[in-house]
Amino acid sequence: MPTIASMHQRSVFAGFTILWLIGGPCSLLRAQAPVEPLLQKYCLGCHNDNEPEAGLSLQTFESLKKGSDDGRVFDPQNPSASLLLKVLAPTGDSAMPPEGEPQPTDAERKRLRQWVLAGAKIAPMAAGRPQVPDIKPFGTTTPTLLASTLLSDGKTVIVGGGRHVAAIDTDSGEQTWQTTLSGSRVTSLAVAEAKPWLAAAVGMPGVAGRGLLLSTADGSVLAEFGGHTDAVYAAVLNSTDTVLATAGYDRRILLHDVATGDVLRTLEGHNGSVFSLAFDPTGTVLCSASADGTVKVWHVATGKRLDTLSQPQAEQYAVLVSRDGGRIFAAGADNRIRVWKLISTDAARINSLLISQFAHEQPITRLALSPDGTLLASVAEDRTLRLWNTSPFSARQSLPTQSAAVTSLTFIDNTRLFLTCIDGHHQILSIPAPDQTKPPEETMPDAAPVAVTLPDQFHEIQEGDVENHVKSPQAVALPAKISGVIAAPTQSGEDSDCFRFSAVAGQELVLELRAHGEKQDLDSRLEVLTADGQPIVRTMLQAVRDSYFTFRGKDSDTSDDFRVFNWQEMELNEYLYADGEVVKLWLYPRGPDSGFKVYPGFGKRFTYFGTTPTAHALQAPCFIVVPRRPEAKITPNGLPTFPVYYENDDDPRREFGRDSRLFFTAPADADYIVRVRDARGFGGPSYGYQLTVRPPQPDFEVTVSSRKISAAVGTGQEVMFTARRIDGYEGPIHVDIAELPPGWGFSGPVEIQEGQLTAFGTIYAVEGAQQPAADDLKKVRITASSAGPGDKDLGTLEELKLTQDPGLRVTIAAISETGSSEAEAVVQQTVGAEPWPVLSIRPGQTIRAMLRLERHQHKGIVSFGKEDSGRNLPHGVFVDNIGLNGLLLLSDQSEREFFITAAKWVSPSTSTFFLKSNVNGITSLPVTLRILPESEDSNRQVTVR
């Protein structure tokens, strides 16, 4: 039985074999045959950095010097007395390797003893030497090319790969020089900013890895930088050519002093291989892409990790920093290109995600930026090549798919792209100029619809007695009211009624179908076809992100709790497509137990582009889609494209039940056919209908939630305004309550924002408020106005009552940047004055505010709601960090801090908001919210006023 001491002695020896293979030509560490292969063969299987038996690792000289759990194993002052030397005896309990394991020969033991006596110096090495058979090629082989970079002259590309580097003249395509790098596979190349140097990452997986400085004149080795225990995949120089960063399979990033060769800092934190590195233009930060599915941002001077960009879903193979240093580009095995705004240059901050673009059908392996930074190239495992505009980020064009795997991309200029391939060949691709005549990839023209004068009176039309199918439709004049019946199916098929009408290009029409009769059995389906009966494409929906339903499926009505995979990369107002239905995202998930709300944010959900609401199963696929013009030339991105036709089953606004409503814009001067049928193929005498075809008349209606208001001084009562938008009117609607008695105020005018259905205001009382007289109440006017349909008189209030005991009062105060809450403004409210607290926020920011209670009768819990806790906040601005219980104060609390976040896309505006409690609906006095223009620091979480 070996003793503890003997086990310790064995542990000393087990790590002696691996180091030479990775260290490469670090000849200054040894004067005789390398010992590292012996350590890899006999020792490092047990004594490595990942699994150091008895606490001992022999993978690097630094770890050897640290010794084991029982102390030092090598004495540099007296090497002959070192435990390391004793275990090399071939016999005894302390002999290593242990009995039963492969043993060194006498010659190998002698070499190991000489190594110990000479100082035990070793180079870093992998934990084991791979056993690779020596397979001879059948014929002539071409050296693999894996890397390329453009020299500052703009005329020479340096390529590297299987143990060599070479220079290629970009004009002639000829090789001007080649240098062999013995025993080293070049995995990446980067050119120095000012010096005539190249940074090269070299090595073999499981064998060796290091960084090199090469001469741009002939590829000769100027300096070597070790320290890695496995293959190195990336090597880059900072902007002053003073720091070399290297990284690879051992998951560590080393920052080397170019002048001395010393390791300045070791950056640790990745849990997988590091495949790519990029300095920002100033050299202040370093970005790294890793197999652990993250991109990290490091502070070069301190080695501190400033941010982890963890949104990717798989390995990240490439990372770049824009030429101006403002953005980070990354891509990898999740087939996406992501763009972050880089702001964490001097302190830890959140670098917000700007773009997540599904770019290829297979993993993206390389990215490249053009010299001026306006173009980005990407290549994937399926050998597809694509170009992207960087600002704003958008697909530009696809380049020819290559016959072999592309291993590197380098822009020569904005018209030529150099690439290398795994089979050893290289080529220069010409980049076609963008087609200036190509229509933008939009869903519909922005031009105003064509105005067509039609008679005021409808043409009353009865379905004819003869069969009116697609080949012989019944002609009708517009506007028309058509009455008909869908007959029962016959042996020849189901019945459908077809009517032909004429329209000019750009003419807009509304088609509304209501089931008619006592039983109303018809479940209608409307279609608009060409004169020869072909469907008409309304829009092409291009998927830009893929997802699926998680946790639970969805029925065909609900607008809440859309739980979808990778929701963090989705944005409000984006379209979500699932099984033919299109909805629009309205509110973010508010925690781990919630999902998106879709438009309108309450009640039955709306659908878009005339699509029909349907049920969706758990894990059913869905996509974020972008609408394109029917005639647009869509740049492929690896995801599907869905045509949407002019057809409708159920009214998208959910006002007609199972009846149909369809908005149609004529694509050309032509005759068209409208077809009516039952969605299930049924028919019979009770399947009657009335179809109206008319021009749209955009308009709106507004309802007022309450006309009886009771409030005490310092409190308010909420009034909700709900719009019904008619015939496609989506513009803003302003609502105001004027001529309130002295001492009474309204937080308006409030705006029902473009595309929204609700707005909230509070009617409140301040010091000096009196019980209004009947004549005072009659003067109050509620109005709604818009730039389109005009103004609406919404009447007056029925009751305005001043109460004496409010139960509690609620106030909101701003918090200064120092963290202290500011005193509330002294409210002396008069009509037209706004002495309310003011909060300011920029897009992408989160600000803080203070909520205070002045308790009177009510001593219990006070809740202000959950996702709806901020009343009348602009769309895209919300009370944040509410948890599962929402914004509330417990019975022993009288104040708390809360947070307000603005989405990165919100526009500058000024509005008011307030908080509404669950105690008799008492509200706070209003607060002014100013959304300021976006600034350079908009993406960090701050508090501003």
Side-chain angles (χ1 to χ4, degrees):
M1 176 77 63
T3 64
I4 293 178
S6 67
M7 291 176 63
H8 168 58
Q9 291 171 338
R10 293 182 182 182
S11 71
V12 172
F13 183 85
F16 295 170
T17 312
I18 303 177
L19 304 179
W20 176 77
L21 297 176
I22 292 182
C26 296
S27 56
L28 71 163
L29 299 180
R30 63 183 73 83
Q32 50 186 329
V35 73
E36 287 86 354
L38 299 180
L39 299 177
Q40 286 180 309
K41 183 177 180 180
Y42 297 114
C43 309
L44 290 192
C46 295
H47 298 285
N48 56 69
D49 289 346
N50 293 329
E51 297 179 357
E53 186 173 323
L56 177 65
S57 172
L58 302 177
Q59 203 164 351
T60 66
F61 185 58
E62 289 73 19
S63 60
L64 184 155
K65 289 190 295 182
K66 292 179 182 177
S68 69
D69 293 339
D70 294 327
R72 190 167 60 174
V73 299
F74 174 72
D75 184 353
Q77 304 301 323
N78 188 9
S80 60
S82 299
L83 179 61
L84 199 56
L85 190 64
K86 295 177 181 178
V87 301
L88 294 175
T91 59
D93 290 340
S94 63
M96 294 294 285
E99 186 177 348
E101 297 293 333
Q103 300 293 317
T105 65
D106 290 342
E108 289 172 333
R109 288 186 184 275
K110 180 178 179 181
R111 190 191 312 170
L112 288 168
R113 287 195 293 268
Q114 291 173 340
W115 162 69
V116 174
L117 294 173
K121 294 292 183 66
I122 48 175
M125 55 189 152
R129 185 183 181 90
Q131 300 298 317
V132 180
D134 186 16
I135 301 176
K136 302 296 183 182
F138 291 107
T140 303
T141 61
T142 302
T144 296
L145 291 180
L146 299 175
S148 62
T149 190
L150 178 72
L151 296 188
S152 57
D153 62 7
K155 299 179 180 180
T156 305
V157 173
I158 307 299
V159 298
R163 301 175 177 85
H164 78 287
V165 290
I168 308 293
D169 183 271
T170 59
D171 292 331
S172 66
E174 299 296 324
Q175 180 175 298
T176 58
W177 56 256
Q178 178 171 319
T179 299
T180 299
L181 300 176
S182 177
S184 297
R185 187 181 68 171
V186 180
T187 54
S188 80
L189 289 168
V191 67
E193 186 72 21
K195 304 288 187 179
W197 296 343
L198 296 166
V202 300
M204 300 294 289
V207 177
R210 64 195 189 281
L212 299 179
L213 275 187
L214 307 177
S215 168
T216 59
D218 56 11
S220 58
V221 177
L222 304 176
E224 300 184 10
F225 303 86
H228 288 282
T229 58
D230 213 307
V232 173
Y233 298 137
V236 290
L237 287 159
N238 68 347
S239 56
T240 58
D241 301 328
T242 56
V243 176
L244 174 72
T246 58
Y249 189 80
D250 63 4
R251 303 176 293 182
R252 298 185 303 157
I253 303 169
L254 301 184
L255 302 180
H256 308 267
D257 186 313
V258 172
T260 65
D262 296 336
V263 175
L264 299 172
R265 274 167 289 282
T266 299
L267 311 181
E268 295 181 324
H270 279 297
N271 296 318
S273 302
V274 180
F275 293 119
S276 182
L277 297 172
F279 281 107
D280 79 314
T282 67
T284 304
V285 299
L286 177 72
C287 299
S288 55
S290 170
D292 62 11
T294 69
V295 173
K296 295 185 186 294
V297 182
W298 309 87
H299 191 240
V300 174
T302 63
K304 180 181 178 181
R305 185 170 69 248
L306 300 177
D307 195 12
T308 295
L309 311 177
S310 56
Q311 292 92 341
Q313 303 163 33
E315 296 90 338
Q316 294 296 285
Y317 296 138
V319 64
L320 297 170
V321 178
S322 62
R323 305 300 187 197
D324 62 3
R327 287 169 295 165
I328 302 170
F329 302 89
D334 56 0
N335 310 352
R336 289 165 169 79
I337 297 172
R338 288 179 176 81
V339 185
W340 292 270
K341 186 171 184 178
L342 175 57
I343 60 172
S344 61
T345 55
D346 55 357
R349 297 179 182 175
I350 297 175
N351 300 282
S352 62
L353 181 67
L354 302 177
I355 298 291
S356 176
Q357 175 72 54
F358 195 101
H360 293 265
E361 292 187 36
Q362 291 190 17
I364 301 168
T365 56
R366 295 290 187 274
L367 296 176
L369 274 172
S370 61
D372 65 359
T374 61
L375 295 179
L376 181 76
S378 62
V379 66
E381 286 184 358
D382 59 3
R383 307 184 304 282
T384 55
L385 278 165
R386 294 201 168 107
L387 287 179
W388 311 83
N389 298 309
T390 59
S391 185
F393 192 89
S394 60
R396 170 164 162 160
Q397 58 199 144
S398 294
L399 297 177
T401 299
Q402 299 301 298
S403 59
V406 177
T407 53
S408 74
L409 300 172
T410 297
F411 277 96
I412 300 172
D413 50 41
N414 281 31
T415 64
R416 294 179 295 169
L417 180 66
F418 184 93
L419 58 88
T420 62
C421 293
I422 194 71
D423 61 4
H425 86 270
H426 60 81
Q427 64 174 306
I428 298 175
L429 295 179
S430 295
I431 300 174
D435 184 0
Q436 301 296 333
T437 64
K438 186 183 78 169
E441 294 179 347
E442 302 289 345
T443 178
M444 294 297 290
D446 294 330
V450 174
V452 178
T453 302
L454 295 176
D456 293 334
Q457 296 296 320
F458 282 89
H459 296 87
E460 302 282 347
I461 299 168
Q462 188 69 36
E463 176 196 2
D465 293 332
V466 297
E467 184 178 2
N468 53 347
H469 50 70
V470 170
K471 294 185 179 179
S472 58
Q474 181 177 344
V476 299
L478 302 182
K481 285 185 179 178
I482 306 168
S483 297
V485 178
I486 300 298
T490 63
Q491 290 184 349
S492 60
E494 64 183 71
D495 183 32
S496 63
D497 293 345
C498 297
F499 307 93
R500 187 181 71 248
F501 64 89
S502 297
V504 300
Q507 182 178 353
E508 293 185 333
L509 294 170
V510 181
L511 293 83
E512 296 176 331
L513 189 145
R514 294 296 189 100
H516 182 67
E518 293 183 1
K519 295 185 65 176
Q520 298 185 354
D521 289 333
L522 180 67
D523 182 1
S524 61
R525 181 177 182 84
L526 272 178
E527 300 167 274
V528 178
L529 311 173
T530 62
D532 58 356
Q534 298 302 309
I536 302 172
V537 177
R538 177 175 186 162
T539 184
M540 298 294 293
L541 299 177
Q542 183 183 21
V544 295
R545 279 188 290 286
D546 57 335
S547 184
Y548 57 86
F549 289 93
T550 63
F551 186 68
R552 62 164 66 97
K554 301 304 301 175
D555 62 21
S556 59
D557 289 334
T558 308
S559 61
D560 196 6
D561 204 21
F562 269 65
R563 303 196 193 188
V564 291
F565 175 71
N566 196 30
W567 69 265
Q568 294 88 346
E569 292 189 356
M570 301 178 184
E571 189 51 81
L572 302 188
N573 296 324
E574 288 185 326
Y575 294 107
L576 182 73
Y577 175 96
D579 193 23
E581 178 186 6
V582 181
V583 297
K584 195 175 181 181
L585 303 180
W586 188 78
L587 181 66
Y588 302 105
R590 307 311 310 279
D593 194 32
S594 68
F596 276 107
K597 284 189 176 186
V598 300
Y599 274 78
F602 57 89
K604 293 183 178 181
R605 67 178 180 262
F606 291 171
T607 60
Y608 293 82
F609 309 107
T611 58
T612 299
T614 59
H616 307 289
L618 176 64
Q619 296 188 335
C622 56
F623 303 87
I624 293 295
V625 294
V626 175
R628 307 296 191 194
R629 297 173 186 263
E631 71 277 10
K633 182 179 178 181
I634 297 175
T635 303
N637 64 3
L639 289 176
T641 300
F642 306 100
V644 177
Y645 302 98
Y646 278 110
E647 58 186 14
N648 179 250
D649 185 348
D650 296 331
D651 170 30
R653 287 278 168 155
R654 316 307 294 273
E655 294 179 332
F656 287 8
R658 61 184 183 180
D659 290 342
S660 303
R661 175 158 53 185
L662 182 63
F663 290 84
F664 173 68
T665 301
D669 295 356
D671 284 351
Y672 297 94
I673 297 172
V674 54
R675 178 163 62 185
V676 180
R677 53 180 169 166
D678 186 86
R680 304 155 300 181
F682 299 162
S686 61
Y687 285 73
Y689 64 85
Q690 185 176 77
L691 171 64
T692 301
V693 184
R694 59 175 177 81
Q697 296 177 327
D699 203 352
F700 68 88
E701 298 172 355
V702 174
T703 58
V704 183
S705 65
S706 176
R707 296 179 187 270
K708 295 182 179 181
I709 301 298
S710 298
V713 171
T715 71
Q717 283 282 312
E718 179 180 270
V719 181
M720 179 174 70
F721 306 98
T722 303
R724 175 176 175 261
R725 297 183 178 274
I726 301 171
D727 282 3
Y729 177 70
E730 297 294 339
I733 303 168
H734 297 88
V735 183
D736 198 8
I737 302 178
E739 302 299 331
L740 286 165
W744 292 85
F746 175 61
S747 60
V750 298
E751 180 182 87
I752 303 176
Q753 293 180 273
E754 181 177 354
Q756 305 300 315
L757 296 188
T758 59
F760 301 87
T762 180
I763 298 176
Y764 57 88
V766 296
E767 293 293 340
Q770 301 293 324
Q771 189 70 44
D775 290 342
D776 292 333
L777 197 58
K778 292 179 181 178
K779 298 177 183 177
V780 177
R781 304 310 303 168
I782 308 175
T783 58
S785 60
S786 70
D791 298 343
K792 310 282 185 182
D793 186 348
L794 305 182
T796 186
L797 297 176
E798 298 176 7
E799 181 179 279
L800 190 59
K801 182 178 180 181
L802 183 68
T803 60
Q804 299 303 315
D805 187 2
L808 55 82
R809 287 188 174 90
V810 184
T811 56
I812 302 171
I815 297 180
S816 68
E817 293 189 20
T818 61
S820 61
S821 82
E822 300 176 356
E824 299 83 24
V826 178
V827 179
Q828 299 291 336
Q829 180 69 31
T830 58
V831 175
E834 295 184 356
W836 304 322
V838 177
L839 298 178
S840 298
I841 192 171
R842 297 185 189 273
Q845 284 186 341
T846 296
I847 63 172
R848 299 179 295 158
M850 182 64 71
L851 165 61
R852 289 201 182 96
L853 289 184
E854 180 184 319
R855 294 178 180 268
H856 294 278
Q857 297 291 332
H858 187 82
K859 305 300 182 182
I861 294 175
V862 182
S863 173
F864 295 90
K866 294 186 178 181
E867 67 271 6
D868 59 347
S869 53
R871 310 301 282 178
N872 205 53
L873 286 171
H875 183 55
V877 182
F878 51 91
V879 175
D880 208 351
N881 302 319
I882 58 174
L884 296 177
N885 297 317
L887 181 62
L888 59 79
L889 289 172
L890 301 178
S891 56
D892 59 345
Q893 292 179 320
S894 294
E895 67 176 28
R896 67 164 288 180
E897 186 179 72
F898 69 101
F899 301 86
I900 299 174
T901 294
K904 60 187 178 184
W905 48 264
V906 295
S907 301
S909 66
T910 299
S911 60
T912 60
F913 81 98
F914 55 94
L915 297 177
K916 176 185 176 182
S917 74
N918 65 336
V919 181
N920 300 322
I922 292 173
T923 75
S924 69
L925 296 181
V927 173
T928 297
L929 180 71
R930 292 175 181 163
I931 301 177
L932 305 176
E934 184 177 6
S935 69
E936 290 298 320
D937 290 334
S938 290
N939 296 90
R940 61 188 180 99
Q941 293 187 339
V942 297
T943 301
V944 295
R945 288 188 65 235

